[in-house]
Amino acid sequence: MAAPREAPERRPFGRRFLTDPARLFQHNAWDNVEWSEEQEASARSKVQENSSQLLPHDKQEEYEVNAKRYWDDFYKIHENGFFKDRHWLFTEFPELAPNRNPSQNRDSVHEFSNKEESNNEGLGNCENGHCSLETRAENQLNLIKSTPKICTEELATQKYSELNQRDGDYPGSSASYRILEVGCGAGNTVFPILQTNNDPGLFVYCCDFSTTAVDLVQNNAEYDSSRCFAFVHDLCNDQSPFPMPDESLDVVILIFVLSAILPEKMQCIVNRLSRLLKPGGMILLRDYGRYDLAQLRFKKGQCLSDNFYVRGDGTRVYFFTQDELDDLFTTAGLEKIQNLVDRRLQVNRGKQMTMYRVWIQCKYRKPAAPQL
């Protein structure tokens, strides 16, 4: 008989229960909430309804084959204006901050800063089905419109192969602490890390499926090739090389990235990323949870498979449970440090609307090498 699953892990700090509508709209900050059984049953019913009609197989194939084009189009339209810089990273993931303390690399959970998280009236902003953790920011990083410096993935493959032929000669090889962000987008995680963490031994790699996204990163005024290396990479192609060798990374960051990938390919991707970690290295993840606002807003005809949908712009998104993520990471040989569900209430005072967000945050560590 299989061992029972442990109870879902939730945030340990206090929760606010706002049930009186008159009081509710006095608040427009993020509040920690418990869902009632009725609320969860209603969300489950909504998902059953919007997933009752699956897209035909040929249409699903089209979205998979053209996935790169859809994300390129997304970044061509939005450039770096869609997501807000993620300065909350250092609260949730102290492993990314300067003066790292090993004792911090445990299940350390903190509340988000309302000021950094969002402007008040922007709470719950969803564009074209993208209900992001952050809303549009007023002050975006400036772009230098210059000749693109990126190369195609084919040229990158040749370049990395040549680098790997020379022992120890690869970007960031002399660094003492190496971070890789997968799915870097326009750099809203990478640049806060580079701005905040002045550790001289730090080197940050970042990659994205979208050539347009990597172009935005490399042409940003904050891009420093002595501390950062941005490259185009297809995670689903296990023949596509990374610029760094196995067991060379201290941290891999996955923020709203794994959910964009075909579910059948997720395990292979997590396995690949696990091999890049040093013993003791960690994967840090934050992604969409089951019954998040974004999932409930999908209409019939947008569902690809269970809990996997296509947005109006052709990009796709999956909504996880804690157990699903735990299976992915433990199957890859990693041990759980943190796996929690974060249910949040957003209140838009101007529109008199309440919206519920559900995210999952994880930290999984590669076991340390055994002592001889």
Side-chain angles (χ1 to χ4, degrees), residues 43-44 47-48 50-51 54 259 261 263 266 288-292 295-296 298 302-310 316-321 324:
R44 189 182 304 112
V47 167
Q48 288 173 349
N50 70 22
S51 60
L54 298 182
S259 55
I261 293 165
M266 290 178 184
Y288 295 104
R290 192 68 48 85
Y291 308 142
D292 177 62
Q295 182 176 18
L296 303 186
F298 280 106
Q302 291 181 274
C303 189
L304 300 167
S305 60
D306 288 348
N307 305 297
F308 191 46
Y309 300 82
V310 62
R316 297 167 299 173
V317 60
Y318 187 84
F319 297 88
F320 291 99
T321 65
E324 287 172 338

Side-chain angles (χ1 to χ4, degrees), residues 84-87 89-90 96 141 179-197 202-208 217-218 220 222-224 227-231 253 255:
K84 182 179 178 181
D85 289 347
R86 295 159 171 162
H87 295 286
L89 283 166
F90 310 104
L96 305 176
L141 296 169
I179 295 172
L180 166 66
E181 189 202 4
V182 178
C184 62
N188 302 94
T189 295
V190 169
F191 292 120
I193 292 174
L194 292 173
Q195 292 161 359
T196 303
N197 193 331
L202 174 71
F203 195 87
V204 181
Y205 306 90
C206 58
C207 66
D208 201 282
V217 172
Q218 290 194 338
N220 192 291
E222 299 290 333
Y223 185 73
D224 180 355
R227 305 182 67 216
C228 181
F229 184 72
F231 58 102
I253 308 169
I255 297 181

Side-chain angles (χ1 to χ4, degrees), residues 144-155:
I144 298 178
K145 298 298 183 182
S146 59
T147 304
K149 294 179 286 185
I150 66 167
C151 55
T152 65
E153 190 168 0
E154 289 77 13
L155 289 176

Side-chain angles (χ1 to χ4, degrees), residues 29-87:
W30 299 68
D31 295 290
N32 304 295
V33 295
E34 283 278 8
W35 281 23
S36 66
E37 291 183 9
E38 293 79 11
Q39 220 173 345
E40 187 150 351
S42 174
R44 189 182 304 112
S45 175
K46 180 65 176 175
V47 167
Q48 288 173 349
E49 178 185 350
N50 70 22
S51 60
S52 60
Q53 178 183 335
L54 298 182
L55 279 171
H57 183 72
D58 59 335
K59 290 293 293 182
Q60 297 198 33
E61 281 290 318
E62 178 186 331
Y63 287 119
E64 173 67 11
V65 170
N66 295 315
K68 185 178 188 301
R69 177 170 63 84
Y70 288 123
W71 278 110
D72 274 336
D73 289 345
F74 174 85
Y75 286 108
K76 285 174 183 175
I77 293 169
H78 298 288
E79 293 193 337
N80 68 340
F82 188 81
F83 300 105
K84 182 179 178 181
D85 289 347
R86 295 159 171 162
H87 295 286

Side-chain angles (χ1 to χ4, degrees), residues 168 200 241 335:
E335 56 187 20

